Amino acid sequence: MYTEVYGRGKPLLLIHGNGGSIKAFTQTIPYFAKRYRVIAVDSRAQGKTVDAGDSLSFEMMADDFAALRQKWVGW
């Protein structure tokens, strides 16, 4: 998954809406990055994240975000 990380502090994961991308947060990332480690993600098959599969579900996306949480937060 395509991910961008900004700032320091407690992690804050930004998740865009369906059909969106990190671009939805261009105005908010600088504000939150002053206080948090902002983790902005292009969801599966959206933005710069490519998905070669032919299906997509909320469960798959939840698993993706759980894996990111493990990577960046450790729980």
Side-chain angles (χ1 to χ4, degrees):
M1 286 179 57
Y2 180 77
T3 306
E4 295 179 7
V5 180
Y6 303 88
R8 293 182 166 192
K10 291 184 179 183
L12 174 66
L13 178 62
L14 299 180
I15 302 172
H16 61 78
N18 188 28
S21 72
I22 291 172
K23 292 179 184 180
F25 302 112
T26 56
Q27 299 297 314
T28 54
I29 288 173
Y31 173 80
F32 286 114
K34 293 175 188 174
R35 195 163 176 200
Y36 299 97
R37 179 174 38 170
V38 177
I39 304 162
V41 180
D42 278 346
S43 298
R44 184 185 291 248
Q46 299 178 52
K48 294 182 180 180
T49 300
V50 177
D51 180 27
D54 62 353
S55 64
L56 183 62
S57 70
F58 289 116
E59 291 81 10
M60 293 166 78
M61 294 171 68
D63 289 344
D64 292 342
F65 295 126
L68 277 174
R69 183 186 71 201
Q70 180 66 33
K71 176 181 177 180
W72 291 101
V73 181
W75 53 265

Coordinates of all heavy atoms in Angstrom, one line a residue:
M1 N 0.8 -1.2 0.0 CA 0.0 0.0 0.0 C 0.9 1.2 0.0 O 1.9 1.3 0.7 CB -0.9 0.0 1.2 CG -2.0 -1.0 1.2 SD -3.1 -1.0 2.6 CE -3.6 0.7 2.7
Y2 N 0.5 2.2 -0.8 CA 1.2 3.5 -0.8 C 0.9 4.2 0.5 O -0.3 4.5 0.8 CB 0.8 4.3 -2.0 CG 1.5 5.6 -2.1 CD1 2.9 5.6 -2.5 CD2 0.9 6.8 -1.7 CE1 3.6 6.8 -2.6 CE2 1.6 8.0 -1.8 CZ 2.9 8.0 -2.2 OH 3.6 9.2 -2.2
T3 N 2.0 4.6 1.1 CA 1.8 5.3 2.4 C 2.8 6.5 2.5 O 3.9 6.4 2.0 CB 2.2 4.4 3.6 OG1 1.4 3.2 3.5 CG2 2.0 5.0 4.9
E4 N 2.3 7.6 3.1 CA 3.2 8.7 3.4 C 3.1 9.0 4.8 O 2.0 8.9 5.5 CB 2.7 10.0 2.6 CG 2.9 9.8 1.1 CD 2.4 11.0 0.3 OE1 2.1 12.1 0.9 OE2 2.4 10.9 -1.0
V5 N 4.3 9.4 5.5 CA 4.3 9.6 6.9 C 4.9 11.0 7.1 O 5.9 11.4 6.5 CB 5.2 8.5 7.6 CG1 5.2 8.8 9.1 CG2 4.6 7.1 7.3
Y6 N 4.3 11.7 8.0 CA 4.7 13.1 8.4 C 4.7 13.3 9.9 O 3.9 12.7 10.6 CB 3.7 14.1 7.7 CG 3.5 14.0 6.3 CD1 2.6 13.2 5.7 CD2 4.3 14.8 5.4 CE1 2.4 13.1 4.3 CE2 4.2 14.7 4.0 CZ 3.2 13.8 3.5 OH 3.1 13.7 2.2
G7 N 5.5 14.2 10.4 CA 5.5 14.6 11.7 C 6.0 13.5 12.7 O 6.5 12.5 12.4
R8 N 5.8 13.9 14.0 CA 6.3 13.0 15.1 C 5.2 13.0 16.2 O 4.3 13.9 16.2 CB 7.5 13.6 15.8 CG 8.7 13.5 14.9 CD 9.9 14.0 15.6 NE 11.1 13.6 14.8 CZ 12.3 13.7 15.3 NH1 12.5 14.2 16.5 NH2 13.3 13.4 14.5
G9 N 5.3 12.1 17.1 CA 4.3 11.9 18.1 C 3.5 10.7 18.0 O 3.8 9.7 17.3
K10 N 2.3 10.7 18.7 CA 1.4 9.6 18.6 C 0.9 9.4 17.2 O 0.7 10.4 16.5 CB 0.2 9.8 19.5 CG 0.6 9.7 21.0 CD -0.6 9.8 21.9 CE -0.2 9.7 23.3 NZ -1.4 9.8 24.2
P11 N 0.8 8.2 16.7 CA 0.3 7.9 15.3 C -1.1 8.3 15.1 O -2.0 8.1 16.0 CB 0.5 6.4 15.1 CG 0.5 5.9 16.5 CD 1.0 6.9 17.4
L12 N -1.4 8.9 14.0 CA -2.7 9.2 13.5 C -2.9 8.7 12.1 O -2.2 9.2 11.2 CB -2.9 10.8 13.6 CG -4.3 11.3 13.0 CD1 -5.4 10.8 13.9 CD2 -4.2 12.8 12.9
L13 N -3.8 7.7 11.9 CA -4.0 7.2 10.6 C -5.1 7.9 9.9 O -6.2 8.0 10.4 CB -4.3 5.7 10.7 CG -4.6 4.9 9.5 CD1 -3.4 4.9 8.5 CD2 -5.1 3.5 9.8
L14 N -4.8 8.4 8.7 CA -5.8 9.1 7.9 C -6.3 8.1 6.8 O -5.6 7.6 6.0 CB -5.3 10.3 7.2 CG -4.7 11.4 8.2 CD1 -4.2 12.6 7.4 CD2 -5.8 11.9 9.1
I15 N -7.6 7.9 6.8 CA -8.3 7.0 5.8 C -9.2 7.8 5.0 O -10.2 8.3 5.5 CB -9.0 5.8 6.5 CG1 -8.0 5.1 7.4 CG2 -9.6 4.9 5.5 CD1 -8.7 4.0 8.3
H16 N -9.0 7.8 3.7 CA -9.9 8.6 2.8 C -11.2 7.8 2.5 O -11.3 6.6 2.7 CB -9.1 8.9 1.5 CG -8.7 7.7 0.7 ND1 -9.5 7.0 -0.1 CD2 -7.5 7.1 0.7 CE1 -8.8 6.0 -0.6 NE2 -7.6 6.1 -0.2
G17 N -12.1 8.5 1.8 CA -13.3 7.8 1.4 C -13.2 7.0 0.1 O -12.1 7.0 -0.5
N18 N -14.2 6.3 -0.2 CA -14.2 5.5 -1.4 C -13.9 6.2 -2.7 O -14.5 7.3 -2.9 CB -15.6 4.8 -1.5 CG -15.6 3.7 -2.6 OD1 -14.6 3.1 -2.9 ND2 -16.7 3.5 -3.2
G19 N -13.0 5.7 -3.4 CA -12.6 6.4 -4.7 C -11.6 7.6 -4.5 O -11.3 8.2 -5.4
G20 N -11.2 7.8 -3.2 CA -10.3 8.9 -2.9 C -8.9 8.5 -2.9 O -8.5 7.5 -3.4
S21 N -8.1 9.4 -2.3 CA -6.6 9.2 -2.1 C -6.1 10.1 -1.1 O -6.8 10.9 -0.5 CB -5.9 9.4 -3.5 OG -5.9 10.8 -3.7
I22 N -4.8 10.0 -0.9 CA -4.1 10.9 0.1 C -4.4 12.4 -0.3 O -4.4 13.2 0.6 CB -2.6 10.6 0.1 CG1 -2.4 9.2 0.7 CG2 -1.8 11.7 0.8 CD1 -1.0 8.7 0.7
K23 N -4.6 12.6 -1.5 CA -4.8 14.0 -1.9 C -6.0 14.7 -1.2 O -6.0 15.9 -1.0 CB -5.1 14.1 -3.4 CG -4.0 13.7 -4.3 CD -4.3 13.8 -5.8 CE -3.2 13.4 -6.6 NZ -3.5 13.4 -8.1
A24 N -6.9 13.9 -0.6 CA -8.0 14.4 0.1 C -7.5 15.1 1.4 O -8.3 15.9 2.0 CB -9.0 13.3 0.5
F25 N -6.3 14.9 1.8 CA -5.8 15.4 3.1 C -4.7 16.4 2.9 O -4.0 16.8 3.9 CB -5.2 14.2 3.9 CG -6.3 13.2 4.2 CD1 -6.2 11.9 3.7 CD2 -7.4 13.5 5.1 CE1 -7.1 10.9 4.0 CE2 -8.3 12.5 5.3 CZ -8.2 11.2 4.8
T26 N -4.5 17.0 1.7 CA -3.4 17.9 1.5 C -3.5 19.1 2.4 O -2.5 19.7 2.8 CB -3.3 18.4 0.1 OG1 -4.6 18.9 -0.3 CG2 -3.0 17.2 -0.9
Q27 N -4.7 19.5 2.8 CA -4.9 20.7 3.7 C -4.8 20.3 5.2 O -4.4 21.2 6.0 CB -6.2 21.4 3.4 CG -6.4 21.9 2.0 CD -5.4 23.0 1.7 OE1 -5.2 23.9 2.4 NE2 -4.8 22.9 0.5
T28 N -5.1 19.1 5.5 CA -5.1 18.7 6.9 C -3.8 18.1 7.4 O -3.5 18.2 8.6 CB -6.3 17.8 7.2 OG1 -6.2 16.7 6.3 CG2 -7.6 18.4 7.0
I29 N -3.0 17.5 6.5 CA -1.8 16.8 7.0 C -0.9 17.8 7.7 O -0.4 17.5 8.8 CB -1.1 16.1 5.8 CG1 -1.9 14.9 5.4 CG2 0.4 15.8 6.2 CD1 -1.4 14.2 4.2
P30 N -0.6 19.0 7.1 CA 0.3 19.9 7.8 C -0.2 20.3 9.2 O 0.6 20.4 10.2 CB 0.4 21.2 6.9 CG 0.0 20.6 5.6 CD -1.0 19.6 5.8
Y31 N -1.5 20.5 9.4 CA -2.0 20.8 10.7 C -1.7 19.7 11.7 O -1.2 19.9 12.8 CB -3.5 21.1 10.6 CG -4.2 21.3 11.9 CD1 -4.1 22.5 12.6 CD2 -4.9 20.3 12.5 CE1 -4.7 22.8 13.8 CE2 -5.5 20.5 13.8 CZ -5.4 21.7 14.4 OH -6.0 21.9 15.6
F32 N -2.1 18.5 11.4 CA -2.0 17.4 12.3 C -0.5 16.9 12.5 O -0.1 16.4 13.6 CB -2.8 16.2 11.9 CG -4.3 16.4 12.1 CD1 -5.1 16.5 11.0 CD2 -4.8 16.5 13.4 CE1 -6.5 16.6 11.2 CE2 -6.1 16.7 13.6 CZ -7.0 16.8 12.5
A33 N 0.3 17.2 11.5 CA 1.8 16.8 11.6 C 2.5 17.6 12.6 O 3.6 17.2 13.0 CB 2.4 16.9 10.2
K34 N 2.0 18.7 13.0 CA 2.6 19.5 14.1 C 2.6 18.8 15.4 O 3.5 19.0 16.3 CB 1.9 20.8 14.2 CG 2.1 21.7 13.0 CD 1.3 23.0 13.2 CE 1.3 23.8 11.9 NZ 0.4 25.0 12.1
R35 N 1.7 17.9 15.6 CA 1.5 17.2 16.9 C 1.5 15.7 16.8 O 1.7 15.1 17.9 CB 0.1 17.7 17.4 CG 0.0 17.4 18.9 CD -1.2 18.2 19.4 NE -1.3 17.9 20.8 CZ -2.4 18.0 21.6 NH1 -3.4 18.6 21.0 NH2 -2.4 17.6 22.8
Y36 N 1.3 15.1 15.7 CA 1.2 13.7 15.5 C 2.1 13.2 14.4 O 2.5 13.9 13.6 CB -0.3 13.3 15.2 CG -1.3 13.7 16.2 CD1 -2.0 14.9 16.1 CD2 -1.5 12.9 17.3 CE1 -3.0 15.2 17.0 CE2 -2.4 13.3 18.3 CZ -3.2 14.4 18.1 OH -4.1 14.8 19.1
R37 N 2.3 11.9 14.5 CA 3.0 11.2 13.4 C 1.8 10.8 12.4 O 1.1 9.8 12.7 CB 3.7 9.9 13.8 CG 4.4 9.2 12.7 CD 5.2 8.1 13.1 NE 4.7 7.4 14.2 CZ 5.1 6.2 14.7 NH1 6.2 5.7 14.1 NH2 4.5 5.7 15.7
V38 N 1.6 11.5 11.4 CA 0.5 11.3 10.5 C 0.8 10.2 9.5 O 1.9 10.3 8.8 CB 0.1 12.6 9.8 CG1 -1.0 12.4 8.8 CG2 -0.3 13.7 10.8
I39 N 0.0 9.2 9.4 CA 0.2 8.1 8.4 C -1.0 8.2 7.5 O -2.1 7.9 7.8 CB 0.2 6.8 9.2 CG1 1.3 6.8 10.2 CG2 0.4 5.6 8.1 CD1 1.1 5.7 11.3
A40 N -0.7 8.7 6.3 CA -1.7 8.8 5.2 C -1.6 7.7 4.2 O -0.4 7.3 3.8 CB -1.6 10.2 4.5
V41 N -2.7 7.1 3.9 CA -2.6 5.8 3.1 C -3.6 6.0 1.9 O -4.7 6.5 2.0 CB -3.1 4.7 3.9 CG1 -3.1 3.4 3.1 CG2 -2.3 4.5 5.2
D42 N -3.1 5.4 0.7 CA -4.0 5.2 -0.4 C -4.5 3.8 -0.2 O -3.8 2.8 -0.3 CB -3.3 5.4 -1.7 CG -3.2 6.8 -2.2 OD1 -3.8 7.7 -1.6 OD2 -2.4 7.1 -3.1
S43 N -5.8 3.6 0.0 CA -6.4 2.3 0.2 C -6.3 1.4 -1.0 O -6.0 1.9 -2.1 CB -7.9 2.5 0.5 OG -8.1 3.2 1.6
R44 N -6.5 0.1 -0.8 CA -6.4 -0.9 -1.8 C -7.1 -0.5 -3.0 O -8.3 -0.1 -3.0 CB -6.9 -2.2 -1.2 CG -6.8 -3.4 -2.1 CD -7.5 -4.6 -1.5 NE -6.8 -5.0 -0.3 CZ -6.2 -6.2 -0.2 NH1 -6.2 -7.0 -1.3 NH2 -5.6 -6.6 0.9
A45 N -6.5 -0.5 -4.2 CA -7.0 -0.3 -5.5 C -7.5 1.2 -5.7 O -8.3 1.5 -6.5 CB -8.2 -1.2 -5.8
Q46 N -6.9 2.1 -4.9 CA -7.2 3.5 -5.0 C -6.0 4.4 -4.9 O -5.0 4.0 -4.3 CB -8.2 3.9 -3.8 CG -9.5 3.1 -3.9 CD -10.5 3.4 -2.8 OE1 -10.8 4.5 -2.5 NE2 -10.9 2.3 -2.2
G47 N -6.0 5.5 -5.5 CA -4.8 6.4 -5.5 C -3.6 5.7 -6.1 O -3.7 5.1 -7.2
K48 N -2.5 5.7 -5.4 CA -1.3 5.1 -5.9 C -1.1 3.6 -5.5 O -0.1 3.0 -5.8 CB -0.1 5.9 -5.5 CG 0.0 7.3 -6.0 CD 1.3 8.0 -5.6 CE 1.3 9.4 -6.2 NZ 2.5 10.1 -5.7
T49 N -2.1 3.1 -4.8 CA -2.0 1.7 -4.4 C -2.7 0.8 -5.5 O -3.9 1.0 -5.8 CB -2.7 1.4 -3.1 OG1 -2.1 2.2 -2.1 CG2 -2.7 0.0 -2.7
V50 N -1.9 -0.1 -6.0 CA -2.4 -1.0 -7.1 C -2.9 -2.3 -6.4 O -2.3 -2.8 -5.5 CB -1.3 -1.3 -8.1 CG1 -1.7 -2.3 -9.1 CG2 -0.8 0.0 -8.7
D51 N -3.9 -2.9 -6.9 CA -4.4 -4.2 -6.5 C -4.7 -5.0 -7.7 O -5.6 -4.7 -8.5 CB -5.7 -4.0 -5.6 CG -6.2 -5.3 -5.1 OD1 -5.4 -6.3 -5.0 OD2 -7.4 -5.4 -4.9
A52 N -4.0 -6.1 -7.9 CA -4.2 -7.0 -9.0 C -5.4 -7.9 -8.9 O -5.8 -8.5 -9.9 CB -2.9 -7.8 -9.3
G53 N -6.0 -8.0 -7.7 CA -7.1 -8.8 -7.5 C -8.4 -8.3 -8.2 O -8.4 -7.2 -8.7
D54 N -9.4 -9.2 -8.3 CA -10.6 -8.8 -9.0 C -11.8 -8.5 -8.0 O -12.9 -8.3 -8.4 CB -11.0 -9.8 -10.0 CG -11.3 -11.2 -9.4 OD1 -11.1 -11.3 -8.2 OD2 -11.8 -12.0 -10.1
S55 N -11.4 -8.5 -6.7 CA -12.5 -8.3 -5.7 C -12.0 -7.3 -4.6 O -10.8 -7.2 -4.4 CB -13.0 -9.6 -5.1 OG -11.9 -10.2 -4.4
L56 N -12.9 -6.7 -3.9 CA -12.5 -5.8 -2.9 C -13.7 -5.9 -1.8 O -14.8 -5.9 -2.2 CB -12.4 -4.4 -3.4 CG -12.0 -3.3 -2.5 CD1 -10.6 -3.5 -1.9 CD2 -12.1 -1.9 -3.2
S57 N -13.3 -5.9 -0.6 CA -14.3 -6.0 0.5 C -13.8 -5.1 1.7 O -12.6 -4.8 1.8 CB -14.5 -7.4 1.0 OG -13.3 -7.9 1.7
F58 N -14.7 -4.8 2.5 CA -14.4 -4.0 3.7 C -13.5 -4.8 4.6 O -12.6 -4.3 5.3 CB -15.6 -3.6 4.5 CG -16.4 -2.5 3.8 CD1 -17.7 -2.8 3.4 CD2 -15.9 -1.3 3.6 CE1 -18.5 -1.8 2.7 CE2 -16.6 -0.3 3.0 CZ -17.9 -0.6 2.6
E59 N -13.6 -6.1 4.6 CA -12.8 -7.0 5.5 C -11.3 -6.9 5.0 O -10.4 -6.9 5.8 CB -13.3 -8.4 5.4 CG -14.6 -8.6 6.2 CD -15.8 -8.2 5.4 OE1 -15.7 -8.0 4.2 OE2 -16.9 -8.2 6.0
M60 N -11.1 -6.9 3.6 CA -9.8 -6.9 3.1 C -9.2 -5.5 3.4 O -8.0 -5.5 3.8 CB -9.9 -7.0 1.5 CG -10.3 -8.4 1.1 SD -10.7 -8.4 -0.7 CE -9.1 -8.4 -1.4
M61 N -9.9 -4.5 3.3 CA -9.4 -3.1 3.7 C -9.1 -3.0 5.2 O -8.1 -2.5 5.6 CB -10.4 -2.1 3.2 CG -10.5 -2.0 1.7 SD -11.8 -0.9 1.1 CE -11.1 0.7 1.5
A62 N -9.9 -3.6 6.0 CA -9.7 -3.6 7.5 C -8.4 -4.4 7.8 O -7.6 -3.9 8.6 CB -10.9 -4.2 8.2
D63 N -8.2 -5.5 7.1 CA -6.9 -6.2 7.3 C -5.7 -5.4 6.9 O -4.7 -5.5 7.5 CB -7.0 -7.6 6.5 CG -7.9 -8.6 7.1 OD1 -8.3 -8.4 8.2 OD2 -8.3 -9.5 6.3
D64 N -5.8 -4.7 5.8 CA -4.8 -3.8 5.3 C -4.4 -2.8 6.4 O -3.2 -2.5 6.8 CB -5.1 -3.0 4.1 CG -5.3 -3.9 2.9 OD1 -4.7 -5.1 2.9 OD2 -5.9 -3.5 1.9
F65 N -5.4 -2.1 7.0 CA -5.2 -1.1 8.0 C -4.7 -1.7 9.3 O -3.9 -1.1 10.0 CB -6.4 -0.3 8.3 CG -6.8 0.5 7.1 CD1 -8.1 0.5 6.5 CD2 -5.9 1.4 6.5 CE1 -8.5 1.2 5.4 CE2 -6.3 2.1 5.4 CZ -7.5 2.0 4.8
A66 N -5.1 -2.9 9.6 CA -4.6 -3.6 10.8 C -3.1 -3.9 10.6 O -2.3 -3.8 11.6 CB -5.4 -4.9 11.1
A67 N -2.7 -4.3 9.4 CA -1.3 -4.6 9.2 C -0.5 -3.3 9.3 O 0.7 -3.3 9.8 CB -1.1 -5.2 7.8
L68 N -1.0 -2.2 8.8 CA -0.3 -0.9 8.9 C -0.2 -0.5 10.4 O 0.8 0.0 10.8 CB -1.1 0.2 8.2 CG -0.8 0.3 6.7 CD1 -1.8 1.4 6.1 CD2 0.6 0.7 6.5
R69 N -1.3 -0.7 11.2 CA -1.2 -0.4 12.6 C -0.1 -1.2 13.3 O 0.7 -0.6 14.0 CB -2.5 -0.7 13.2 CG -2.6 -0.3 14.7 CD -3.9 -0.8 15.4 NE -3.8 -2.2 15.5 CZ -4.8 -3.0 15.6 NH1 -6.1 -2.5 15.7 NH2 -4.7 -4.3 15.7
Q70 N 0.0 -2.5 12.9 CA 1.1 -3.3 13.5 C 2.5 -2.7 13.1 O 3.4 -2.7 13.9 CB 0.9 -4.7 13.0 CG 2.0 -5.7 13.5 CD 1.9 -5.9 15.0 OE1 0.8 -5.9 15.6 NE2 3.0 -6.0 15.7
K71 N 2.6 -2.3 11.9 CA 3.9 -1.8 11.4 C 4.3 -0.5 12.1 O 5.4 -0.4 12.5 CB 3.8 -1.6 9.9 CG 5.1 -1.0 9.3 CD 5.0 -0.7 7.8 CE 6.2 0.0 7.3 NZ 6.1 0.2 5.9
W72 N 3.4 0.4 12.2 CA 3.7 1.8 12.7 C 3.5 1.9 14.2 O 4.1 2.8 14.8 CB 2.9 2.8 11.9 CG 3.4 2.9 10.5 CD1 2.7 2.4 9.4 CD2 4.5 3.6 10.1 NE1 3.5 2.7 8.3 CE2 4.6 3.4 8.7 CE3 5.6 4.2 10.7 CZ2 5.6 3.9 7.9 CZ3 6.6 4.8 9.9 CH2 6.6 4.6 8.5
V73 N 2.6 1.1 14.8 CA 2.3 1.3 16.2 C 2.8 0.1 17.0 O 3.2 0.3 18.2 CB 0.8 1.5 16.4 CG1 0.4 1.7 17.9 CG2 0.3 2.7 15.5
G74 N 2.8 -1.0 16.5 CA 3.3 -2.2 17.2 C 2.2 -3.0 17.9 O 2.4 -3.9 18.6
W75 N 0.9 -2.6 17.7 CA -0.2 -3.3 18.4 C -1.4 -3.4 17.4 O -1.5 -2.8 16.5 CB -0.7 -2.7 19.7 CG -1.0 -1.3 19.6 CD1 -0.2 -0.2 19.9 CD2 -2.3 -0.7 19.3 NE1 -0.8 0.9 19.8 CE2 -2.1 0.7 19.4 CE3 -3.5 -1.2 18.8 CZ2 -3.1 1.6 19.1 CZ3 -4.5 -0.3 18.6 CH2 -4.3 1.1 18.7

